[in-house]
Amino acid sequence: MPLTTPRPHDTAQQLTPPPPKLLHHPSPPPQGPPSHDEEDWLTALRDDGSPPLICLARGCRRDNPHTRTYCRHCGHLLRPPPEPEAKAWWRKALDHLRTRYRERPQTWHRDHRWYVLLATGSMGLGIVAAGGGPWIAAPAVHGAGLAIDRFTAKAAIVPAATSASSERDGFPADCATDGADNRAWAPKPSGKDAREEWWQADFEHPFRLTSLAIINGVSKQPKEYLAAGRAHILKAVAITADNRAHIKILRLPDQPGPQTFTWGLDKVTTVQLQLTHIRADGKTSATAPVGLAEVQFFTRKG
């Protein structure tokens, strides 16, 4: 029988091993939370001999492993919260003052507290003034009066009569105290020629002038305000009952609306406002009236 040589592809087929068979292993079913017995067994593995924790909740009183934080039977907290860190004496004092004077408005209201502080400060200034002579007494008394004015309710004072150095037609002197901000006093000269003109208010009884409010210009409306001349600096002269003159320079910002100036002067009978510097740069304001729409005087209420 003749011998035959095997072909290359037949040899390859005989030498190639068959592919391995893959075995399918199903995944284990999911397990739920451990039961109490399993949990006790796991806890026993970590037990180091410490005594159990007793739940202090009313109606429970059961033992729990020392590693637990909450009772496994009722859920009550087993371990009390840590005690706060001890504070220094000065921190305790500050906390006491903060609680008493700030966080208790029903017992110690902020407005009442200001009155007490002002009274205490006034007494201290009086003691210093008594020991320091007239050089310290006058500033101390004046400062105490200003502090009381700051925290005391105000009342408006209406002058008994008004007058002026001159009056423009339609702008009489009493328009500055009529309560209407669209009526004003204006002198006869226009623009910067109105310098040195003055307006004056006389009062029936002497009073303490705590502050005065001025509405500059002929109106507080922006368009009418900018179309006319406005006072830049006023020289205020207050005459007291002892016939002494007190001068205060008032610088008015170039804006419509009321502008308040504090004074703090006793026994005032007359106040005069003199125009010393005027804003009248525009073509219209150079010939327009320079007015004061409203002047109001205030004193302590009560």
Side-chain angles (χ1 to χ4, degrees):
M1 182 176 180
L3 298 174
T4 58
T5 305
R7 289 179 292 181
H9 64 274
D10 295 339
T11 306
Q13 291 180 356
Q14 297 176 0
L15 299 178
T16 302
K21 295 182 179 181
L22 299 178
L23 298 178
H24 177 70
H25 297 279
S27 58
Q31 298 180 358
S35 61
H36 289 300
D37 297 336
E38 296 177 351
E39 188 176 1
D40 293 342
W41 179 77
L42 294 175
T43 305
L45 295 178
R46 299 189 300 265
D47 194 3
D48 56 356
S50 301
L53 294 177
I54 300 176
C55 180
L56 300 179
R58 182 178 299 178
C60 184
R61 303 293 181 175
R62 298 184 182 179
D63 295 346
N64 290 269
H66 73 280
T67 56
R68 293 187 62 88
T69 304
Y70 295 92
C71 179
R72 65 176 181 175
H73 303 284
C74 65
H76 191 267
L77 182 64
L78 297 175
R79 304 175 186 274
E83 297 183 358
E85 184 180 357
K87 295 183 179 180
W89 65 269
W90 58 273
R91 286 188 176 273
K92 294 181 180 179
L94 289 178
D95 293 343
H96 176 72
L97 293 176
R98 187 182 298 109
T99 303
R100 182 169 183 177
Y101 297 108
R102 182 182 298 178
E103 299 177 0
R104 296 175 62 186
Q106 298 178 355
T107 304
W108 186 254
H109 197 272
R110 183 171 298 178
D111 296 341
H112 298 166
R113 180 177 60 184
W114 278 118
Y115 286 124
V116 173
L117 292 178
L118 288 176
T120 305
S122 301
M123 293 176 59
L125 291 175
I127 295 174
V128 174
W135 295 101
I136 301 179
V141 172
H142 182 68
L146 292 178
I148 296 175
D149 294 342
R150 173 66 178 81
F151 298 100
T152 306
K154 299 179 182 179
I157 297 293
V158 180
T162 58
S163 58
S165 57
S166 62
E167 296 178 349
R168 195 183 185 98
D169 294 339
F171 298 89
D174 57 356
C175 287
T177 56
D178 59 356
D181 53 24
N182 58 351
R183 290 162 48 88
W185 163 77
K188 283 185 178 180
S190 302
K192 296 185 177 181
D193 296 335
R195 292 176 178 173
E196 308 301 328
E197 297 287 334
W198 52 266
W199 176 90
Q200 181 172 306
D202 298 308
F203 301 90
E204 184 177 1
H205 302 287
F207 71 102
R208 177 174 176 82
L209 178 60
T210 58
S211 61
L212 67 158
I214 299 176
I215 299 180
N216 195 15
V218 297
S219 175
K220 71 174 185 178
Q221 302 299 327
K223 185 176 181 180
E224 300 176 4
Y225 172 83
L226 296 175
R230 292 91 61 193
H232 180 202
I233 298 177
L234 293 176
K235 180 182 179 182
V237 181
I239 308 298
T240 55
D242 55 358
N243 203 24
R244 295 179 58 184
H246 303 265
I247 300 175
K248 187 179 183 67
I249 303 300
L250 309 179
R251 299 181 181 273
L252 283 73
D254 194 11
Q255 60 185 19
Q259 304 175 26
T260 304
F261 302 90
T262 59
W263 201 320
L265 193 60
D266 291 323
K267 300 180 180 180
V268 176
T269 58
T270 302
V271 177
Q272 184 182 105
L273 301 179
Q274 184 177 0
L275 301 172
T276 57
H277 291 76
I278 299 172
R279 291 187 175 94
D281 299 332
K283 296 180 180 180
T284 305
S285 60
T287 57
V290 180
L292 293 177
E294 195 70 22
V295 182
Q296 297 178 345
F297 305 90
F298 296 95
T299 186
R300 295 176 186 172
K301 187 176 181 180

